[in-house]
Amino acid sequence: MLRTLALLGLWSAAAWGAPLSIVTTSTDLKSLVEVVGGEKVKVESLAPPLADPHAIEVKPGQLARLKNAALLVRIGLDHEPWLARALAAVGDPRFAAGSANYLDSSHGIELLQAETPRLRADKSAHVHGFGNTHYWLDPENGRLITAAILDALARLDPADRPYFEANRKRFIGELETRLKHWLNAMQPYRGAKIVVTHESWPYFARRFGLDIVASVEPAPGVPPSASYLAELTQHMREGKIKILVAEPYANFSIVNQVAERGGARAVTLIPSVGGDPEARDYLGLFDLDIKRFTEAAAAR
Ligand SMILES: [Zn+2]
């Protein structure tokens, strides 16, 4: 029996009571796996919280961790262009689409900007080519992502399905309570026009009623030219756009210049769990971002 399970790639430490070793490509997925898996999982994220998620250097120690993982959970699409190389280095067929050891959490997500014209294939910066990949920033998508995680964990560890289900149920209850609070807090700013540095925020903006009118990057991952910035800041002044949203890893010499010339206030929102000590987990991430946005919008 054990041999059969091993051959299927389904053998797991869980059979011996040890936690399942899980690798995710982001700290947000790590947080959501921990929500569902509780003490039955031990999770590591390949990407640190404060880095461009599309440009990560996977370390040798992380490759070893991946090799021994029972499950890989990823954002999918072209969010992690760096993952293919890590997977090739590991060379394990368990981490292929359709395997019980592989979860692409983009399945079932309604993608925004799916009509974005593809950039030239020879551009290494080519991201969001299939639609916008920052879908975890709509807290409603936390519902779908944890549902997929629950199924994946229960497949590897069927005996603990009720435990995973109870954990997820508790999380969804808390998510619903906080979402009401966040929506209330954002109510006065519905329809507010904002500019972003990178297109990380369309899901967040849709949920909370913000209108993203422009991005500092002319296309995702492509740095702006001086003439593009001049046009952007003129547009911001004319449109009286008062908020510029930046990620903590943005180029702040550009961000501050755009904010100043465009007559806006720059607000740093945290796109991933752990990007700020207050963004300890998935729900804490939204607590912090809603607080920062509403404070900046109220002060404008
Ligand atoms: Zn992106």
Side-chain angles (χ1 to χ4, degrees):
M1 176 66 172
L2 276 178
R3 192 178 139 75
T4 318
L5 288 175
L7 286 173
L8 289 170
L10 287 172
W11 71 282
S12 74
W16 287 270
L20 288 166
S21 172
I22 295 171
V23 169
T24 64
T25 55
S26 79
T27 53
D28 311 288
L29 291 176
K30 175 179 191 279
S31 177
L32 292 172
V33 171
E34 286 170 344
V35 155
V36 180
E39 63 193 16
K40 307 284 181 186
V41 295
K42 195 163 184 307
V43 195
E44 181 177 310
S45 167
L46 295 176
L50 280 181
D52 176 351
H54 306 309
I56 299 297
E57 198 80 54
V58 179
K59 299 180 192 76
Q62 293 181 311
L63 286 180
R65 188 77 187 264
L66 180 56
K67 215 176 192 107
N68 293 314
L71 179 65
L72 169 66
V73 187
R74 66 176 299 188
I75 295 291
L77 307 161
D78 58 359
H79 189 74
E80 308 107 331
W82 43 271
L83 184 62
R85 215 166 92 191
L87 286 176
V90 168
D92 191 331
R94 296 184 306 133
F95 302 128
S99 160
N101 307 94
Y102 176 92
L103 174 61
D104 177 342
S105 62
S106 70
H107 286 309
I109 301 278
E110 186 202 329
L111 293 174
L112 296 177
Q113 301 173 342
E115 75 293 347
T116 303
R118 300 243 186 132
L119 299 180
R120 287 202 311 274
D122 59 350
K123 269 217 169 85
S124 60
H126 170 206
V127 284
H128 303 185
F130 306 96
N132 191 290
T133 59
H134 298 262
Y135 55 80
W136 71 92
L137 287 168
D138 175 359
E140 276 287 352
N141 282 339
R143 213 184 274 275
L144 293 169
I145 301 169
T146 51
I149 289 170
L150 165 64
D151 279 344
L153 293 182
R155 219 163 31 228
L156 295 168
D157 178 8
D160 282 316
R161 180 180 270 276
Y163 170 77
F164 299 139
E165 280 173 348
N167 284 348
R168 177 170 181 268
K169 195 171 168 208
R170 213 167 30 241
F171 167 76
I172 297 296
E174 186 60 28
L175 175 73
E176 285 169 355
T177 305
R178 295 219 213 165
L179 183 56
K180 281 197 195 102
H181 169 77
W182 298 328
L183 286 167
N184 276 338
M186 291 293 282
Q187 185 60 38
Y189 311 109
R190 285 197 88 81
K193 291 185 179 352
I194 64 168
V195 169
V196 296
T197 50
H198 176 76
E199 286 279 7
S200 304
W201 305 98
Y203 296 89
F204 184 89
R206 180 186 57 174
R207 181 59 53 202
F208 297 111
L210 303 175
D211 184 5
I212 299 173
V213 295
S215 170
V216 172
E217 289 179 344
V222 178
S225 65
S227 64
Y228 178 86
L229 288 182
E231 213 173 297
L232 173 68
T233 51
Q234 190 193 345
H235 180 70
M236 285 168 71
R237 285 201 174 275
E238 287 168 1
K240 298 191 172 20
I241 292 155
K242 295 298 176 194
I243 300 272
L244 168 61
V245 170
E247 290 80 17
Y249 47 82
N251 179 338
F252 274 85
S253 67
I254 292 182
V255 169
N256 292 333
Q257 181 196 326
V258 169
E260 195 184 322
R261 292 190 188 167
R265 172 184 292 261
V267 53
T268 307
L269 297 188
I270 305 296
S272 278
V273 169
D276 183 278
E278 278 187 60
R280 269 188 309 276
D281 56 22
Y282 186 72
L283 298 178
L285 176 68
F286 294 99
D287 281 339
L288 179 61
D289 283 337
I290 297 293
K291 185 175 87 177
R292 286 197 178 177
F293 186 89
T294 53
E295 281 173 3
R300 70 193 166 143

